[in-house]
Amino acid sequence: DGGITQSPKYLFRKEGQNVTLSCEQNLNHDAMYWYRQDPGQGLRLIYYSQIVNDFQKGDIAEGYSVSREKKESFPLTVTSAQKNPTAFYLCASSRDGSMNTEAFFGQGTRLTVV
Amino acid sequence: GENVEQHPSTLSVQEGDSAVIKCTYSDSASNYFPWYKQELGKGPQLIIDIRSNVGEKKDQRIAVTLNKTAKHFSLHITETQPEDSAVYFCAVLSGGSYIPTFGRGTSLIVHP
């Protein structure tokens, strides 16, 4: 089955630690995206990548980092610099960088700082 | 940048009733308007979309209407069922950008 997979589903982090959220897709999509979802806030863009080895900051990139070394993978690192990291994180992909086509979302990772 | 307003934030209906969710946008160059459904604990899924050269699109019980002059578009769900209960997001894609702007979401509750 083709799709986009996020792992883990739940993640707990101690304050001061970096954590990495995994996102893998086997849809052969060029573009991948990371969103953060908070109650009542909708979806806010963290980072996006239109092509391998290239990525751009979104609206709320501070405290996050990404890499795009392979077409199918776009991991997100939540660093200790992110002051309020507890949230639901969604990864998405689309066929090309225009996103004028259907976006496929993963099932999300819920990160909690303890 | 693009500004997308979505209303209402919550909508409660009886099974069998219709539900309407409306979004307004600011950029007249916007040309792609998808709607996503997000069930509890899951990622959003595209349910219907419309492009700027079309005024209405239907898919079984779901329809989307677009008024480019007034810069608003709406999701219509007829004969609602309990499984329609979810959060619905509208999104807008402007011609000069390839990143959509999302509305804040509408929590739809369908009572049996």
Side-chain angles (χ1 to χ4, degrees), chain B residues 15-30:
Chain B
E15 183 177 0
D17 288 350
S18 295
V20 180
I21 303 169
K22 182 177 178 179
C23 284
T24 61
Y25 60 97
S26 58
D27 186 353
S28 57
S30 297

PDB file of all heavy atoms in Angstrom, chain B residues 15-30:
ATOM      1  N   GLU B  15     -28.893  13.898  13.001  1.00  0.00           N
ATOM      2  CA  GLU B  15     -28.702  12.975  11.875  1.00  0.00           C
ATOM      3  C   GLU B  15     -29.789  13.213  10.826  1.00  0.00           C
ATOM      4  O   GLU B  15     -30.980  13.327  11.148  1.00  0.00           O
ATOM      5  CB  GLU B  15     -28.756  11.542  12.372  1.00  0.00           C
ATOM      6  CG  GLU B  15     -28.511  10.491  11.306  1.00  0.00           C
ATOM      7  CD  GLU B  15     -28.498   9.078  11.859  1.00  0.00           C
ATOM      8  OE1 GLU B  15     -28.680   8.918  13.085  1.00  0.00           O
ATOM      9  OE2 GLU B  15     -28.317   8.142  11.067  1.00  0.00           O
ATOM     10  N   GLY B  16     -29.362  13.301   9.577  1.00  0.00           N
ATOM     11  CA  GLY B  16     -30.301  13.539   8.492  1.00  0.00           C
ATOM     12  C   GLY B  16     -30.392  14.997   8.072  1.00  0.00           C
ATOM     13  O   GLY B  16     -30.840  15.290   6.953  1.00  0.00           O
ATOM     14  N   ASP B  17     -29.981  15.908   8.953  1.00  0.00           N
ATOM     15  CA  ASP B  17     -29.976  17.330   8.602  1.00  0.00           C
ATOM     16  C   ASP B  17     -28.806  17.629   7.674  1.00  0.00           C
ATOM     17  O   ASP B  17     -27.913  16.805   7.480  1.00  0.00           O
ATOM     18  CB  ASP B  17     -29.852  18.193   9.860  1.00  0.00           C
ATOM     19  CG  ASP B  17     -31.122  18.197  10.684  1.00  0.00           C
ATOM     20  OD1 ASP B  17     -32.155  17.687  10.188  1.00  0.00           O
ATOM     21  OD2 ASP B  17     -31.071  18.691  11.835  1.00  0.00           O
ATOM     22  N   SER B  18     -28.824  18.836   7.122  1.00  0.00           N
ATOM     23  CA  SER B  18     -27.705  19.307   6.312  1.00  0.00           C
ATOM     24  C   SER B  18     -26.764  20.151   7.162  1.00  0.00           C
ATOM     25  O   SER B  18     -27.175  20.734   8.169  1.00  0.00           O
ATOM     26  CB  SER B  18     -28.222  20.148   5.133  1.00  0.00           C
ATOM     27  OG  SER B  18     -28.980  19.364   4.249  1.00  0.00           O
ATOM     28  N   ALA B  19     -25.510  20.193   6.746  1.00  0.00           N
ATOM     29  CA  ALA B  19     -24.500  21.013   7.428  1.00  0.00           C
ATOM     30  C   ALA B  19     -23.781  21.855   6.385  1.00  0.00           C
ATOM     31  O   ALA B  19     -23.469  21.365   5.293  1.00  0.00           O
ATOM     32  CB  ALA B  19     -23.503  20.128   8.166  1.00  0.00           C
ATOM     33  N   VAL B  20     -23.539  23.107   6.745  1.00  0.00           N
ATOM     34  CA  VAL B  20     -22.840  24.016   5.833  1.00  0.00           C
ATOM     35  C   VAL B  20     -21.710  24.709   6.590  1.00  0.00           C
ATOM     36  O   VAL B  20     -21.914  25.242   7.681  1.00  0.00           O
ATOM     37  CB  VAL B  20     -23.792  25.088   5.248  1.00  0.00           C
ATOM     38  CG1 VAL B  20     -23.014  26.008   4.299  1.00  0.00           C
ATOM     39  CG2 VAL B  20     -24.964  24.439   4.546  1.00  0.00           C
ATOM     40  N   ILE B  21     -20.529  24.676   6.010  1.00  0.00           N
ATOM     41  CA  ILE B  21     -19.355  25.337   6.580  1.00  0.00           C
ATOM     42  C   ILE B  21     -18.831  26.311   5.520  1.00  0.00           C
ATOM     43  O   ILE B  21     -18.729  25.963   4.355  1.00  0.00           O
ATOM     44  CB  ILE B  21     -18.263  24.313   6.939  1.00  0.00           C
ATOM     45  CG1 ILE B  21     -18.811  23.262   7.904  1.00  0.00           C
ATOM     46  CG2 ILE B  21     -17.046  25.015   7.546  1.00  0.00           C
ATOM     47  CD1 ILE B  21     -17.890  22.070   8.118  1.00  0.00           C
ATOM     48  N   LYS B  22     -18.506  27.520   5.970  1.00  0.00           N
ATOM     49  CA  LYS B  22     -18.137  28.569   5.018  1.00  0.00           C
ATOM     50  C   LYS B  22     -16.729  29.083   5.300  1.00  0.00           C
ATOM     51  O   LYS B  22     -16.326  29.219   6.452  1.00  0.00           O
ATOM     52  CB  LYS B  22     -19.133  29.712   5.111  1.00  0.00           C
ATOM     53  CG  LYS B  22     -18.891  30.853   4.137  1.00  0.00           C
ATOM     54  CD  LYS B  22     -19.989  31.899   4.261  1.00  0.00           C
ATOM     55  CE  LYS B  22     -19.748  33.087   3.343  1.00  0.00           C
ATOM     56  NZ  LYS B  22     -20.822  34.104   3.442  1.00  0.00           N
ATOM     57  N   CYS B  23     -16.018  29.365   4.225  1.00  0.00           N
ATOM     58  CA  CYS B  23     -14.698  29.983   4.341  1.00  0.00           C
ATOM     59  C   CYS B  23     -14.612  31.202   3.439  1.00  0.00           C
ATOM     60  O   CYS B  23     -15.133  31.186   2.317  1.00  0.00           O
ATOM     61  CB  CYS B  23     -13.600  28.995   3.957  1.00  0.00           C
ATOM     62  SG  CYS B  23     -13.282  27.762   5.227  1.00  0.00           S
ATOM     63  N   THR B  24     -13.982  32.238   3.940  1.00  0.00           N
ATOM     64  CA  THR B  24     -13.709  33.420   3.133  1.00  0.00           C
ATOM     65  C   THR B  24     -12.205  33.590   3.009  1.00  0.00           C
ATOM     66  O   THR B  24     -11.438  33.154   3.876  1.00  0.00           O
ATOM     67  CB  THR B  24     -14.326  34.681   3.760  1.00  0.00           C
ATOM     68  OG1 THR B  24     -13.747  34.877   5.065  1.00  0.00           O
ATOM     69  CG2 THR B  24     -15.830  34.548   3.915  1.00  0.00           C
ATOM     70  N   TYR B  25     -11.786  34.197   1.918  1.00  0.00           N
ATOM     71  CA  TYR B  25     -10.358  34.397   1.691  1.00  0.00           C
ATOM     72  C   TYR B  25     -10.129  35.798   1.165  1.00  0.00           C
ATOM     73  O   TYR B  25     -11.069  36.494   0.774  1.00  0.00           O
ATOM     74  CB  TYR B  25      -9.808  33.334   0.735  1.00  0.00           C
ATOM     75  CG  TYR B  25     -10.443  33.303  -0.629  1.00  0.00           C
ATOM     76  CD1 TYR B  25      -9.864  33.954  -1.714  1.00  0.00           C
ATOM     77  CD2 TYR B  25     -11.632  32.596  -0.848  1.00  0.00           C
ATOM     78  CE1 TYR B  25     -10.442  33.918  -2.964  1.00  0.00           C
ATOM     79  CE2 TYR B  25     -12.219  32.568  -2.099  1.00  0.00           C
ATOM     80  CZ  TYR B  25     -11.622  33.211  -3.156  1.00  0.00           C
ATOM     81  OH  TYR B  25     -12.206  33.173  -4.408  1.00  0.00           O
ATOM     82  N   SER B  26      -8.881  36.215   1.146  1.00  0.00           N
ATOM     83  CA  SER B  26      -8.591  37.612   0.831  1.00  0.00           C
ATOM     84  C   SER B  26      -7.921  37.818  -0.526  1.00  0.00           C
ATOM     85  O   SER B  26      -8.090  38.880  -1.139  1.00  0.00           O
ATOM     86  CB  SER B  26      -7.700  38.217   1.929  1.00  0.00           C
ATOM     87  OG  SER B  26      -6.494  37.468   2.051  1.00  0.00           O
ATOM     88  N   ASP B  27      -7.180  36.823  -1.002  1.00  0.00           N
ATOM     89  CA  ASP B  27      -6.406  37.002  -2.228  1.00  0.00           C
ATOM     90  C   ASP B  27      -7.236  36.615  -3.459  1.00  0.00           C
ATOM     91  O   ASP B  27      -7.567  35.445  -3.641  1.00  0.00           O
ATOM     92  CB  ASP B  27      -5.131  36.140  -2.153  1.00  0.00           C
ATOM     93  CG  ASP B  27      -4.192  36.389  -3.323  1.00  0.00           C
ATOM     94  OD1 ASP B  27      -4.577  37.125  -4.262  1.00  0.00           O
ATOM     95  OD2 ASP B  27      -3.087  35.837  -3.304  1.00  0.00           O
ATOM     96  N   SER B  28      -7.543  37.584  -4.288  1.00  0.00           N
ATOM     97  CA  SER B  28      -8.377  37.323  -5.458  1.00  0.00           C
ATOM     98  C   SER B  28      -7.676  36.428  -6.485  1.00  0.00           C
ATOM     99  O   SER B  28      -8.321  35.906  -7.397  1.00  0.00           O
ATOM    100  CB  SER B  28      -8.789  38.646  -6.115  1.00  0.00           C
ATOM    101  OG  SER B  28      -7.644  39.394  -6.466  1.00  0.00           O
ATOM    102  N   ALA B  29      -6.366  36.236  -6.344  1.00  0.00           N
ATOM    103  CA  ALA B  29      -5.628  35.366  -7.264  1.00  0.00           C
ATOM    104  C   ALA B  29      -5.668  33.901  -6.839  1.00  0.00           C
ATOM    105  O   ALA B  29      -5.116  33.037  -7.519  1.00  0.00           O
ATOM    106  CB  ALA B  29      -4.178  35.825  -7.363  1.00  0.00           C
ATOM    107  N   SER B  30      -6.317  33.609  -5.730  1.00  0.00           N
ATOM    108  CA  SER B  30      -6.402  32.223  -5.256  1.00  0.00           C
ATOM    109  C   SER B  30      -7.136  31.358  -6.274  1.00  0.00           C
ATOM    110  O   SER B  30      -8.125  31.795  -6.875  1.00  0.00           O
ATOM    111  CB  SER B  30      -7.123  32.163  -3.913  1.00  0.00           C
ATOM    112  OG  SER B  30      -6.396  32.878  -2.945  1.00  0.00           O
TER     113      SER B  30
END
